[in-house]
Amino acid sequence: GESEGNLRRIMQGQLDLPLTEAGREQARLVAARIASMPVAAVYSSPLSRAFETAQAIASHHGLAVESVQGVQEGAWGEAQGMTWTEVTARWDVAGGRPLHEMIPGAETPESLRSRAAAAIDALLDRHTSEVAVCVSHAGTIAQLVAHLIGMPEGQLPRLRTGNTAVTVVEGASDEAVITLLNDMCHLAGHVDPYEAAAARLRQ
């Protein structure tokens, strides 16, 4: 769901910020969408914006949320909590050098993909014939999609992941297939994260 960091338009990374009221509504709506499914387990990044979303989902199934370190967002080191304007004023982002090489403490894309892929592959193998839910973050999901479709290291899909967007992956890790990607139909007529962001930019 939308977090306070999204609202403030900052680089969150592993900065632990809570959901906004809109984010809680998004979590309620995605939880209602999944409520009729036979969910066997709910996993989440330990960051509260993901964990609170996962708890909303798990509450419909009488399940506890299991924290998975590997699917938390990538770390942005000293840039965490800064706006993009502040980042560009401090580091020469126009020079073409990758951000993670310039920002002290930033996680490399290779590290993010490696840990996230290992975590998701383990969950896929654990739940090959069951429905399991895992709540993560946009940057991590982009790396996971790249992993699942076999993109080379250093490449990412052109994907904008919406708050509480649903992606479905079926099969064990060695034959996993994405059958639904970034679907937000549960938000129709309610909280549209893209329109909300656009409206704030117009203010």
Side-chain angles (χ1 to χ4, degrees), residues 44-168:
S44 177
S45 155
L47 297 174
S48 60
R49 57 190 186 269
F51 204 86
E52 187 177 350
T53 303
Q55 286 178 315
I57 295 167
S59 67
H60 287 273
H61 306 278
L63 297 169
V65 179
E66 183 175 334
S67 178
V68 179
Q69 289 285 339
V71 299
Q72 70 176 317
E73 187 61 285
W76 278 114
E78 291 184 11
Q80 287 178 177
M82 298 174 69
T83 65
W84 183 247
T85 300
E86 290 169 334
V87 169
T88 57
R90 183 166 174 181
W91 292 285
D92 180 22
V93 299
R97 189 178 169 200
L99 272 181
H100 68 271
E101 293 182 3
M102 293 186 287
I103 300 171
E107 184 173 13
T108 67
E110 293 78 15
S111 169
L112 174 54
R113 185 182 299 195
S114 176
R115 64 168 168 82
I120 286 299
D121 284 351
L123 294 182
L124 288 169
D125 291 339
R126 187 183 305 171
H127 297 283
T128 53
S129 60
E130 297 177 313
V131 177
V133 175
C134 183
V135 182
S136 187
H137 308 273
T140 308
I141 291 168
Q143 290 287 358
L144 285 170
V145 170
H147 162 67
L148 290 166
I149 65 176
M151 293 184 76
E153 289 282 358
Q155 292 186 19
L156 287 174
R158 295 181 180 179
L159 175 66
R160 179 174 63 178
T161 304
N163 293 121
T164 70
V166 174
T167 291
V168 176

Side-chain angles (χ1 to χ4, degrees), residues 4 7-9 28 51-52 72 94 98 101 109 128 184 189 198:
E4 293 289 347
L7 193 62
R8 290 158 50 193
R9 298 197 293 277
R28 185 189 69 77
F51 204 86
E52 187 177 350
Q72 70 176 317
E101 293 182 3
T128 53
M184 293 182 286

